[in-house]
Amino acid sequence: MIKIGIVGGAGYTAGELIRILLHHPEAAIQFIHSNSNAGNPIHKVHGDLIGETNLLFSSDIEDDIDVLFLCMGHGKSKELLESTPLPDSIKIIDLSRDFRLKKDAGAFVYGLPELNKSSIQQAHKIANPGCFATAMQLALLPLANANLLKGEVHLNGITGSTGAGQRPTATGHFSWRNNNVSLYKTLRHQHMGEVRQSVNQLQDNYQNTLNFIPMRGNFTRGILVSAYTQTDESEAQLCDCYQSFYQGAVFTHLSSMNPNLKQVVNTNKCILFVEKIEDKVVVVSLIDNLLKGASGQAVQNMNLIFGLEEKMGLGLKGVGF
């Protein structure tokens, strides 16, 4: 069994991570750390876990574990690892953005399995990708791999309210979000550095602009990204490009029909739809921001690190209609 510790256990991503790991056949959670909730039952914060575990939140970080998941706010993971000595044997999977860019990464491997699977399998430390970054990269990487990105790329994305985290904010509470849609961080979203980095990993000569407009949606979870750019390829050639790139990807699927968000919510899937309209390729990319965009992908990375079947513990079901 893989002995697991979780730090930052009170947030949305930690709640999803705990839910997955409690039913993972090779996982044994040793502690769930939260200073603000120390001593409280897990279900006092994550109400859906009532009856699932008797674990209490801990104020201690134990070192008799195999892997440590960091589910804290951005900047906190780096602080923790600098201030808390941990045995070299403990593997780290960080869900913040502290180590995602190469200039900050050190020994961390960027944990997008569809791009870096072989490196992840050999890694000791993983920087888990951002949620919007995951959806955007999965939309663009086959084009980059085939050297098909030429002009500017235009991306639009909408995310559910859980993408803003658990802490209440002026634009996150129900009365503001309900029956409402708004833009934020237009053309300056923090995940674009990750996307650029991965695109250039496959197509290093691509220097044109990646334009991204993110939106807040009036729903709880899920991300829909659309991307388009000019191309000379036919629709059949483009679809072959995507099918070939994702041939070995167990969670990323190309759809022949324009998909909808309900198909991916509560799953670790990414569903892609590709079509050619006039002189442009249009790609739709759908994920659950808390699963493929965070905790599900983190467990997928854990499975790869420990040589387990990549899908283990991630047989999650969509919500249906």
Side-chain angles (χ1 to χ4, degrees):
M1 297 290 280
I2 301 168
K3 294 187 288 186
I4 293 166
I6 299 170
V7 178
Y12 286 136
T13 56
E16 293 297 298
L17 183 62
I18 297 164
R19 178 168 66 90
I20 296 168
L21 293 174
L22 284 173
H23 298 282
H24 191 293
E26 293 294 330
I29 301 175
Q30 303 299 298
F31 70 88
I32 302 169
H33 177 275
S34 172
N35 284 325
S36 60
N37 290 282
N40 290 328
I42 301 302
H43 71 260
K44 289 289 187 182
V45 173
H46 305 297
D48 61 312
L49 297 180
I50 189 168
E52 300 290 329
T53 178
N54 294 319
L55 283 168
L56 306 179
F57 285 107
S58 170
S59 60
D60 299 321
I61 298 176
E62 304 169 19
D63 59 13
D64 184 22
I65 54 173
D66 300 307
V67 59
L68 182 65
F69 288 91
L70 302 179
C71 301
M72 300 178 292
H74 303 302
K76 300 296 185 181
S77 295
K78 185 177 181 182
E79 289 179 11
L80 176 78
L81 294 177
E82 288 175 347
S83 63
T84 306
L86 294 171
D88 292 338
S89 60
I90 296 177
K91 295 176 169 58
I92 306 291
I93 300 177
D94 179 36
L95 279 76
S96 80
R97 66 170 178 261
D98 290 9
F99 304 103
R100 292 172 184 164
L101 300 182
K102 288 181 179 178
K103 66 182 180 66
D104 305 315
F108 279 80
V109 170
Y110 188 68
L112 187 69
E114 291 81 358
L115 177 65
N116 293 327
K117 184 174 180 177
S118 60
S119 297
I120 293 166
Q121 289 171 320
Q122 305 301 316
H124 195 77
K125 298 178 180 180
I126 296 292
N128 215 57
C131 51
F132 260 136
T134 295
M136 286 188 279
Q137 287 172 92
L138 294 177
L140 297 178
L141 291 184
L143 298 175
N145 187 62
N147 205 42
L148 292 178
L149 292 176
K150 306 297 182 184
E152 291 190 1
V153 176
H154 298 273
L155 303 115
N156 293 273
I158 186 166
T159 185
S161 58
T162 52
Q166 194 176 48
R167 188 182 299 276
T169 63
T171 57
H173 59 77
F174 176 81
S175 59
W176 193 92
R177 282 267 185 170
N178 189 44
N179 297 323
N180 201 9
V181 176
S182 66
L183 304 183
Y184 73 106
K185 297 181 180 178
T186 301
L187 302 180
R188 52 187 174 87
H189 195 276
Q190 66 272 13
H191 287 181
M192 294 314 297
E194 297 173 56
V195 180
R196 168 65 68 179
Q197 179 174 272
S198 295
V199 164
N200 287 147
Q201 181 177 328
L202 296 179
Q203 186 179 340
D204 60 5
N205 65 348
Y206 181 74
Q207 299 300 324
N208 280 302
T209 305
L210 299 171
N211 303 285
F212 177 47
I213 299 178
M215 290 175 277
R216 304 179 183 95
N218 63 341
F219 50 92
T220 302
R221 59 195 295 166
I223 283 176
L224 185 153
V225 163
S226 62
Y228 67 90
T229 189
Q230 288 186 316
T231 185
D232 295 326
E233 306 299 301
S234 69
E235 183 168 295
Q237 290 172 317
L238 292 165
C239 288
D240 285 346
C241 172
Y242 277 76
Q243 290 282 18
S244 175
F245 188 82
Y246 291 121
Q247 186 173 8
V250 298
F251 288 111
T252 300
H253 308 286
L254 192 64
S255 174
S256 60
M257 299 180 292
N258 201 334
N260 62 81
L261 204 53
K262 284 188 176 184
Q263 291 175 254
V264 298
V265 169
N266 284 332
T267 81
N268 199 52
K269 294 177 184 178
C270 173
I271 295 179
L272 299 167
F273 175 69
V274 180
E275 61 180 334
K276 177 79 177 289
I277 300 176
E278 296 180 352
D279 64 341
K280 295 179 178 64
V281 55
V282 180
V283 184
V284 178
S285 177
L286 304 172
I287 65 169
D288 184 310
N289 59 295
L290 294 178
L291 292 173
K292 184 58 175 167
S295 302
Q297 188 152 244
V299 173
Q300 185 181 354
N301 283 321
M302 182 193 79
N303 288 341
L304 290 171
I305 290 173
F306 287 96
L308 302 176
E309 200 278 319
E310 195 170 349
K311 281 188 169 184
M312 186 174 288
L314 290 166
L316 305 160
K317 305 298 183 183
V319 298
F321 292 90

